[in-house]
Amino acid sequence: MSGCPYFGNSHLSSQTFHREEEDESQEGVNNASKGGIIYGDYLQLEKIVSAQVLQSELRGNKIHDEHLFIVTHQAYELWFKQILWELDSVRDIFISGHVRDERNMLKVVTRMHRIAMIFRLLVDQFAVLETMTALDFFDFREYLSPASGFQSLQFRLLENKIGVPDNQRVPYNRRHYRDNFRGQESEMLLCSEQEPTLLHLVEKWLERTPGLEENGFNFWGKLQKNIEDGLRLEKEKLEKKEESEEKEEMMAEHNKQREIFTALFDEKRHDHLLSKGERRLSYKALQGALMIYFYREEPRFQVPFQLLTFLMDIDTLMTKWRYNHVCMVHRMIGSKNGTGGSSGYHYLRSTVSDRYKVFVDLFNLATFLIPRDWVPKLNPTVHTFLYTAECCDSSYCSSEDSD
Amino acid sequence: MSGCPSFERKLQTFQKRSAQVDNGDDAQAGCNKATKGGTVYGEYLQLDKIVAAQLLQSERKGKKVHDEHLFIVTHQANELWFKQILWELDSVQQIFMKGHVRDERNMLKVVSRIQRIAMIFKLLVQQFMVLETMTAMDFFDFREYLASSSGTQSLQFRLLETKIGVPECQRVPYNRRHYRDSFQGKENEILLKSEQEPTLLQLVEKWLERTPGLEKDGFNFWEKLQANVEEGFRSETRKLDQKPKSEMKKEIMEDLQKRKMVFTSLFDEKCHNHLLSKGERRISYKALQGALMIYYYREEPRFQLPFQLLTSLMDIDAFMTKWRYSHVCMVHRMIGSKAGIGSSSGYHYLRSTLSDHYKVFVDFFNLATFLVPRSWVPRLNPSIHKFLVTAERYDSSYCSEDSD
């Protein structure tokens, strides 16, 4: 740029450069020489990059692959921290009531989607540790005891804050999972059990879904009527048919459907399943979720529908994470005990179950899908709530309070 | 377990719940060792350092921007993995430099580690999807606080590039300054040192030059190949000449001539050395021969792992390019065409690093230009050419226990 004729001959193989790109790529000035925080300091790399101490090396028998083991877990913990950062911010938006201002929905959904993307990365990350063989792991495993993933505070916090309930956890060696932690860590865990979880907050939010009001749109009452009408019509049509094996099968199928929907509208039954831990949302929240499902294309429900989808993505990805972990552990240690003393593989396999699926009710909604014409009709001139969002100015937190 | 009745009752509640889980008892076997002392997880991983290293500049300046945390963590994760790549890279460099690579029992270790590096790069490419959840608007909110900090100051990234084999003279100058000028003191020395030590490219080059079968007084692969290729073209030309004149015959003739020219350049050592001096080729003429030999005879037992090595080296190049490209795309989305933070022209500078100048093992990719029909490949005779089934082992240098 200076116009000097001799500049740059040594290192520019100019014939492979386009002239205009070359000039543009050289524009600018190197700011770092002016002072101000530089990359390594900004990221506190002196901490990050000096945190790898091989136990095998400390014991005088350095095993190469231990470094990979350490770095992989550290990377996981970094991302757990990020997930907690996003999770806590979303919980705050709900807890503070800011979620009632619907301008905050984009922020909420974006952050939940981000959490899902991070989990996706964490599932992919197994491929790197899988380049370590069981034989290589065996060489340094003895130096790890009794350290174990059970002692990962952040992982437990994450589970709790999303909504894994204490009483659904598979006990670990017949002891409470919190027993692995002492002092401040144990207190933090206790707090996370007692504060509103994401599940709990979403439940309350679902209960407030517009359209559920009995003296308003009365979605549930209308739905029940439509389904009963629909099933009755179906039965009448079926009965008119000629007797045949096919008719019998269709009748049986019809009766099964009837049973499913009878159960859906049975509040007592729902509460019973709730107490057993097989369902996790209140009856009203379930209604809200079904309403959002059926009317997801109405402007007001579009982003709420995305939220429900991302919540299920997170559950799915966490299950995949657990499963990938199990497979790898099996390959690494077969049926031996874990370094923390658990049964290792068997314990982990027991956590790949629906009891750890927080938003299991959203998945199960697929049981209750119905033909479009059974869905209670909406009248846009009457039911204006579907495209009128609520914006309570006092609680919108767009730029100033960036939480 | 003790027979105490109240304990049994508590146990039963656990068991009832675990009854749904088919592994009930198996899952509960074992005892909790952590209570007995010893290194626990958090200490082992020095999590007190890792998880306390996120300090938002926007928060320090009193205007906390939520997304800055993601920005920090993403870069820290990248740097953690860069460290791991350097760990693997250095160990492979040692195996070559100490001569241990001559004992072919070390090949599995070498290839596994190179493949691991490729997997890590693959993960780093996947990692972009997380940072892509940040919008340009959100980035704009805290970008000003990053002032003079920039990825061009990443020491580990530069070390990585240099140790793999990106040559200093091929680098796109950054604001017309040397890339090393971004670093002071000790870091600058470390970089300089890495430029002076043998790179992966150089070590692999020397190794390729030693490929069995190249010896002129031995199998003499190169001359045999040249003879076969020339004969092959002669025979193709003869067959083509016999065909009646037609438009298609003319096209095929032209194509044949083109291919002949390609192979004429292949056997022209002066041409290769000229391209080498221009930086368009990176390995010596002899090393190129070795690589082509491994390609053609990759199914011979002795060459199977060497072939995997060449493939994995190309994977590394491919993933690094994809990483650079993903980075460029994201930068473009975030800042358009404004100057980068370290004040280069950001997008334009990064785009210029996508060129083949940064592709270290470019010669392996180009070998695909010289593939020939199987029948042209010089024949091997297993009873004479024993070198293909006999590996070399030097007991004194095999380093299975010495886990480097």
Side-chain angles (χ1 to χ4, degrees):
Chain A
M1 242 158 42
S2 61
C4 165
Y6 298 108
F7 184 82
N9 281 343
S10 60
H11 46 215
L12 292 177
S13 311
S14 333
Q15 51 266 55
T16 49
F17 258 105
H18 295 298
R19 273 286 141 188
E20 71 270 19
E21 263 194 49
E22 176 203 315
D23 285 337
E24 277 171 341
S25 69
Q26 293 311 307
E27 272 168 31
V29 144
N30 194 332
N31 270 348
S33 46
K34 295 188 195 156
I37 196 167
I38 59 165
Y39 183 85
D41 297 335
Y42 175 52
L43 301 174
Q44 299 194 44
L45 291 187
E46 80 284 0
K47 284 186 184 177
I48 305 273
V49 156
S50 67
Q52 295 77 32
V53 174
L54 278 62
Q55 291 298 303
S56 61
E57 190 164 16
L58 281 183
R59 315 289 179 90
N61 180 22
K62 180 173 107 170
I63 302 293
H64 176 87
D65 277 15
E66 190 183 350
H67 196 279
L68 176 66
F69 187 77
I70 292 174
V71 163
T72 301
H73 284 82
Q74 290 173 331
Y76 272 116
E77 291 287 335
L78 260 182
W79 286 115
F80 289 164
K81 174 143 205 231
Q82 186 60 38
I83 290 173
L84 287 166
W85 179 262
E86 304 295 340
L87 200 48
D88 284 339
S89 81
V90 168
R91 285 172 57 246
D92 281 340
I93 292 174
F94 278 83
I95 292 172
S96 62
H98 289 178
V99 73
R100 288 171 194 264
D101 185 326
E102 289 169 48
R103 284 174 293 181
N104 285 312
M105 277 310 286
L106 180 64
K107 192 178 293 189
V108 165
V109 159
T110 302
R111 292 177 188 182
M112 292 315 298
H113 171 59
R114 179 176 292 170
I115 293 175
M117 294 310 286
I118 295 174
F119 268 118
R120 186 162 298 181
L121 182 75
L122 297 187
V123 170
D124 288 339
Q125 203 165 275
F126 281 100
V128 179
L129 195 53
E130 277 161 5
T131 63
M132 180 173 77
T133 66
L135 311 139
D136 291 310
F137 184 52
F138 180 79
D139 282 341
F140 66 88
R141 193 181 176 231
E142 57 186 291
Y143 305 121
L144 303 180
S145 191
S148 151
F150 275 109
Q151 300 142 10
S152 166
L153 174 66
Q154 293 197 122
F155 188 71
R156 295 300 179 213
L157 284 174
L158 202 151
E159 285 182 314
N160 285 351
K161 287 170 187 252
I162 290 177
V164 173
D166 173 50
N167 60 12
Q168 286 284 309
R169 286 182 179 280
V170 174
Y172 163 45
N173 297 334
R174 295 203 160 81
R175 294 180 62 167
H176 199 268
Y177 83 99
R178 226 189 307 122
D179 287 348
N180 281 285
F181 303 92
R182 304 258 168 284
Q184 205 192 31
E185 294 195 339
S186 183
E187 279 173 37
M188 281 173 75
L189 271 178
L190 192 56
C191 260
S192 73
E193 282 178 39
Q194 293 164 342
E195 287 169 348
T197 64
L198 184 64
L199 172 69
H200 180 83
L201 295 164
V202 166
E203 178 189 57
K204 292 280 162 283
W205 171 79
L206 282 172
E207 286 174 359
R208 297 194 296 270
T209 305
L212 293 182
E213 307 84 356
E214 276 180 38
N215 57 358
F217 180 63
N218 189 21
F219 166 65
W220 208 240
K222 289 201 168 79
L223 181 67
Q224 181 164 20
K225 176 166 186 308
N226 280 19
I227 288 178
E228 282 171 2
D229 286 347
L231 284 173
R232 195 171 41 242
L233 270 169
E234 228 182 58
K235 187 166 184 197
E236 280 168 15
K237 257 200 234 151
L238 267 180
E239 279 170 344
K240 289 205 181 98
K241 284 180 145 58
E242 271 182 39
E243 288 300 321
S244 69
E245 201 172 308
E246 197 196 338
K247 175 180 172 178
E248 268 182 52
E249 279 175 22
M250 287 173 79
M251 260 319 225
E253 187 56 43
H254 170 90
N255 288 331
K256 247 198 252 161
Q257 285 293 95
R258 189 177 278 277
E259 265 180 53
I260 287 174
F261 285 105
T262 306
L264 175 63
F265 292 107
D266 182 352
E267 187 168 358
K268 278 204 176 59
R269 181 170 179 277
H270 175 91
D271 289 341
H272 173 65
L273 293 172
L274 200 58
S275 69
K276 287 211 305 183
E278 278 174 44
R279 287 202 186 163
R280 309 288 313 281
L281 296 172
S282 68
Y283 195 54
K284 193 132 203 255
L286 199 78
Q287 297 172 22
L290 207 49
M291 172 123 198
I292 292 173
Y293 263 44
F294 287 153
Y295 304 104
R296 63 195 174 282
E297 289 178 352
E298 301 299 329
R300 199 165 179 204
F301 287 164
Q302 290 177 1
V303 178
F305 178 70
Q306 288 178 337
L307 177 59
L308 299 187
T309 305
F310 290 140
L311 292 172
M312 285 192 283
D313 284 349
I314 288 172
D315 258 335
T316 304
L317 289 164
M318 277 197 87
T319 307
K320 286 181 179 169
W321 189 93
R322 293 181 198 278
Y323 185 62
N324 274 22
H325 191 216
V326 168
C327 288
M328 193 175 63
V329 167
H330 196 196
R331 194 156 67 85
M332 289 296 161
I333 66 174
S335 312
K336 286 191 271 212
N337 278 1
T339 43
S342 81
S343 60
Y345 170 64
H346 289 294
Y347 165 78
L348 288 172
R349 218 174 75 181
S350 69
T351 66
V352 184
S353 92
D354 269 2
R355 48 166 60 191
Y356 283 82
K357 211 173 228 173
V358 175
F359 298 97
V360 61
D361 294 300
L362 298 179
F363 289 87
N364 287 332
L365 282 185
T367 320
F368 308 115
L369 300 179
I370 54 180
R372 272 196 191 258
D373 55 321
W374 289 19
V375 175
K377 294 266 179 293
L378 291 165
N379 184 343
T381 32
V382 175
H383 305 124
T384 53
F385 67 90
L386 291 158
Y387 47 85
T388 318
E390 230 172 273
C391 305
C392 341
D393 285 341
S394 60
S395 70
Y396 181 43
C397 53
S398 106
S399 45
E400 289 73 49
D401 172 16
S402 177
D403 232 347
Chain B
M1 247 159 30
S2 58
C4 161
S6 70
F7 177 83
E8 294 286 89
R9 240 178 288 128
K10 276 210 191 120
L11 202 55
Q12 273 161 30
T13 357
F14 276 144
Q15 282 172 341
K16 229 200 285 177
R17 249 191 288 275
S18 337
Q20 301 161 22
V21 177
D22 48 4
N23 287 321
D25 286 334
D26 281 344
Q28 295 310 309
C31 71
N32 191 333
K33 285 193 193 155
T35 44
K36 299 187 185 160
T39 316
V40 291
Y41 182 86
E43 290 159 23
Y44 174 53
L45 300 175
Q46 300 200 36
L47 291 187
D48 53 331
K49 282 187 183 178
I50 303 273
V51 158
Q54 296 75 34
L55 182 56
L56 278 63
Q57 290 301 302
S58 61
E59 191 164 15
R60 269 185 73 213
K61 311 286 178 85
K63 272 196 89 187
K64 180 171 107 169
V65 179
H66 176 88
D67 277 15
E68 191 184 349
H69 197 277
L70 176 67
F71 187 77
I72 292 175
V73 164
T74 301
H75 284 82
Q76 289 173 331
N78 266 303
E79 290 288 334
L80 259 182
W81 288 116
F82 289 163
K83 176 147 202 228
Q84 186 61 39
I85 290 173
L86 287 167
W87 178 263
E88 303 296 341
L89 206 47
D90 284 341
S91 81
V92 168
Q93 189 192 39
Q94 286 300 304
I95 293 175
F96 277 85
M97 277 170 63
K98 287 190 183 152
H100 288 179
V101 72
R102 289 171 194 266
D103 184 326
E104 289 169 49
R105 283 175 293 181
N106 285 314
M107 277 310 284
L108 181 63
K109 193 179 292 189
V110 165
V111 167
S112 302
R113 292 176 188 182
I114 296 292
Q115 283 172 346
R116 179 177 291 171
I117 293 174
M119 288 309 289
I120 295 175
F121 266 118
K122 186 173 185 187
L123 183 75
L124 294 184
V125 172
Q126 288 164 337
Q127 204 165 268
F128 279 99
M129 67 179 165
V130 181
L131 196 54
E132 277 160 6
T133 62
M134 181 173 76
T135 65
M137 283 79 72
D138 291 311
F139 183 53
F140 181 78
D141 282 345
F142 65 89
R143 194 178 173 228
E144 58 187 289
Y145 305 118
L146 303 181
S148 46
S149 160
S150 151
T152 52
Q153 299 149 3
S154 166
L155 174 66
Q156 293 196 124
F157 188 70
R158 294 301 178 213
L159 278 176
L160 200 152
E161 285 182 312
T162 302
K163 284 172 185 256
I164 289 177
V166 174
E168 177 236 336
C169 63
Q170 290 280 311
R171 286 181 180 279
V172 174
Y174 168 47
N175 297 332
R176 293 208 155 76
R177 292 178 64 171
H178 200 269
Y179 84 99
R180 227 189 304 122
D181 287 347
S182 295
F183 304 92
Q184 317 301 324
K186 189 148 174 257
E187 294 196 338
N188 197 302
E189 279 172 37
I190 292 176
L191 268 179
L192 187 58
K193 189 153 172 280
S194 74
E195 284 178 38
Q196 294 162 342
E197 286 172 346
T199 64
L200 184 62
L201 173 69
Q202 286 164 341
L203 295 165
V204 166
E205 177 191 55
K206 293 279 164 284
W207 171 79
L208 282 172
E209 287 173 358
R210 298 193 297 268
T211 305
L214 294 181
E215 307 85 355
K216 286 206 164 113
D217 57 349
F219 180 63
N220 193 16
F221 166 66
W222 205 238
E223 278 184 30
K224 285 202 170 80
L225 179 68
Q226 182 167 16
N228 280 19
V229 165
E230 284 172 0
E231 175 53 39
F233 277 126
R234 262 198 304 274
S235 142
E236 257 187 51
T237 310
R238 265 199 309 271
K239 274 204 208 121
L240 200 57
D241 278 339
Q242 284 162 11
K243 286 190 147 58
K245 226 172 154 186
S246 72
E247 186 65 37
M248 194 162 123
K249 173 176 172 177
K250 198 160 156 247
E251 281 174 24
I252 298 181
M253 237 342 176
E254 279 170 15
D255 182 67
L256 186 66
Q257 292 309 322
K258 261 198 232 152
R259 281 162 54 219
K260 262 179 90 171
M261 267 174 65
V262 163
F263 281 92
T264 307
S265 82
L266 174 65
F267 294 108
D268 181 353
E269 187 166 1
K270 280 202 175 64
C271 170
H272 176 90
N273 289 335
H274 174 63
L275 294 171
L276 200 58
S277 69
K278 288 208 308 182
E280 279 175 41
R281 288 199 185 165
R282 308 289 315 282
I283 55 179
S284 68
Y285 194 54
K286 192 130 202 254
L288 197 80
Q289 297 172 22
L292 206 49
M293 172 122 198
I294 293 174
Y295 263 46
Y296 288 154
Y297 303 105
R298 64 194 173 281
E299 290 178 348
E300 300 300 327
R302 198 160 180 209
F303 287 166
Q304 289 178 6
L305 237 49
F307 178 70
Q308 288 179 354
L309 179 59
L310 300 186
T311 305
S312 297
L313 291 171
M314 285 194 282
D315 285 345
I316 290 177
D317 260 336
F319 284 125
M320 277 195 88
T321 307
K322 287 176 184 169
W323 189 94
R324 293 183 200 276
Y325 186 62
S326 301
H327 191 217
V328 168
C329 288
M330 191 173 64
V331 166
H332 196 196
R333 194 154 68 83
M334 290 296 160
I335 66 173
S337 314
K338 289 190 279 231
I341 290 178
S343 208
S344 72
S345 60
Y347 171 65
H348 292 292
Y349 164 76
L350 288 173
R351 219 175 73 180
S352 69
T353 67
L354 288 175
S355 81
D356 268 2
H357 283 228
Y358 284 79
K359 210 173 228 173
V360 175
F361 300 98
V362 61
D363 295 297
F364 299 164
F365 289 88
N366 288 332
L367 282 185
T369 322
F370 308 117
L371 299 178
V372 299
R374 273 193 192 262
S375 56
W376 292 17
V377 174
R379 290 257 178 292
L380 289 166
N381 185 342
S383 36
I384 305 175
H385 306 125
K386 289 210 192 322
F387 66 88
L388 291 157
V389 307
T390 318
E392 239 170 83
R393 304 146 63 98
Y394 301 117
D395 287 320
S396 60
S397 67
Y398 179 43
C399 56
S400 112
E401 288 77 47
D402 172 18
S403 177
D404 234 346

